[in-house]
């Protein structure tokens, strides 16, 4: 049975479920920032997923990247799976723009965070979910 790590639950808003991953919106309005979490109990590392799930994960990362690119037109897509703070396997898909608060450094540890207003988060989640439905 799949369950989402408590820290991921606290820091994000659910967007949609894909074939493998739950898509979450990071609660930081400074970047278009999605997190993909494979819905496999106990998943910690990409290389430990079975081959089919590895391929699906890559396809879903590409899909999420296309959605962010289409909706936000970033200068660069950052994709990463760190897992140092949250051991549950999750992949960050972040649209970066020259001149954003952390550019050109990483967003992690930058000290820049600004949570969404409730109404803004609701509207963005709806927009993202629709974009995923339109771009399978």
């Amino acid at each position: 049975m799949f369950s989402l790590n408590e820290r991921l639950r606290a820091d994000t808003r659910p967007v949609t479920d894909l074939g493998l991953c739950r898509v979450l919106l990071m609660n930081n309005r400074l970047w278009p920032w999605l997190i993909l979490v494979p819905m496999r109990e106990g998943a910690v590392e990409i290389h430990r997923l079975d081959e089919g799930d590895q391929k699906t994960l890559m396809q879903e990362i590409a899909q999420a990247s296309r959605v962010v690119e289409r909706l936000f037109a970033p200068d660069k897509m950052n994709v990463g799976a760190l897992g140092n703070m949250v051991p549950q396997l999750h992949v960050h898909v972040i649209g970066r723009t020259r001149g954003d608060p952390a550019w050109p450094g990483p967003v992690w540890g930058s000290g820049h965070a600004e949570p969404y207003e409730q109404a803004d988060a609701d509207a963005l989640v709806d927009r993202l979910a629709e974009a995923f439905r339109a771009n399978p």
Side-chain angles (χ1 to χ4, degrees):
M1 174 105 157
F2 172 75
S3 61
L4 187 61
N5 175 277
E6 182 58 39
R7 178 149 184 193
L8 289 175
R9 189 179 305 112
D11 291 347
T12 64
R13 303 240 346 207
V15 173
T16 192
D17 286 348
L18 304 175
L20 174 66
C21 291
R22 176 154 300 156
V23 180
L24 308 169
L25 173 65
M26 185 69 164
N27 187 22
N28 187 341
R29 69 181 308 121
L30 298 178
W31 295 279
W33 186 340
L34 301 178
I35 298 177
L36 279 62
V37 183
M39 294 181 285
R40 299 291 186 259
E41 192 62 37
V44 175
E45 303 289 353
I46 293 171
H47 68 276
R48 292 185 189 155
L49 294 173
D50 69 40
E51 189 174 318
D53 282 350
Q54 289 176 22
K55 289 178 182 178
T56 300
L57 177 59
M58 289 306 300
Q59 291 166 343
E60 292 179 358
I61 290 168
Q63 180 184 11
S65 297
R66 287 189 301 271
V67 165
V68 169
E69 202 169 59
R70 189 169 68 252
L71 294 181
F72 301 97
D75 296 313
K76 180 71 176 96
M77 293 301 305
N78 287 184
V79 175
L82 302 176
N84 298 341
M85 300 293 290
V86 175
Q88 182 175 32
L89 179 57
H90 61 288
V91 178
H92 299 263
V93 177
I94 308 164
R96 301 294 307 277
T97 306
R98 287 176 182 82
D100 75 33
W103 186 270
V107 297
W108 297 278
S110 71
H112 299 285
E114 187 178 313
Y116 287 98
E117 295 292 331
Q118 183 72 31
D120 293 340
D122 291 344
L124 182 52
V125 164
D126 289 346
R127 201 168 144 217
L128 286 163
E130 177 58 33
F132 274 96
R133 284 191 294 275
N135 183 28

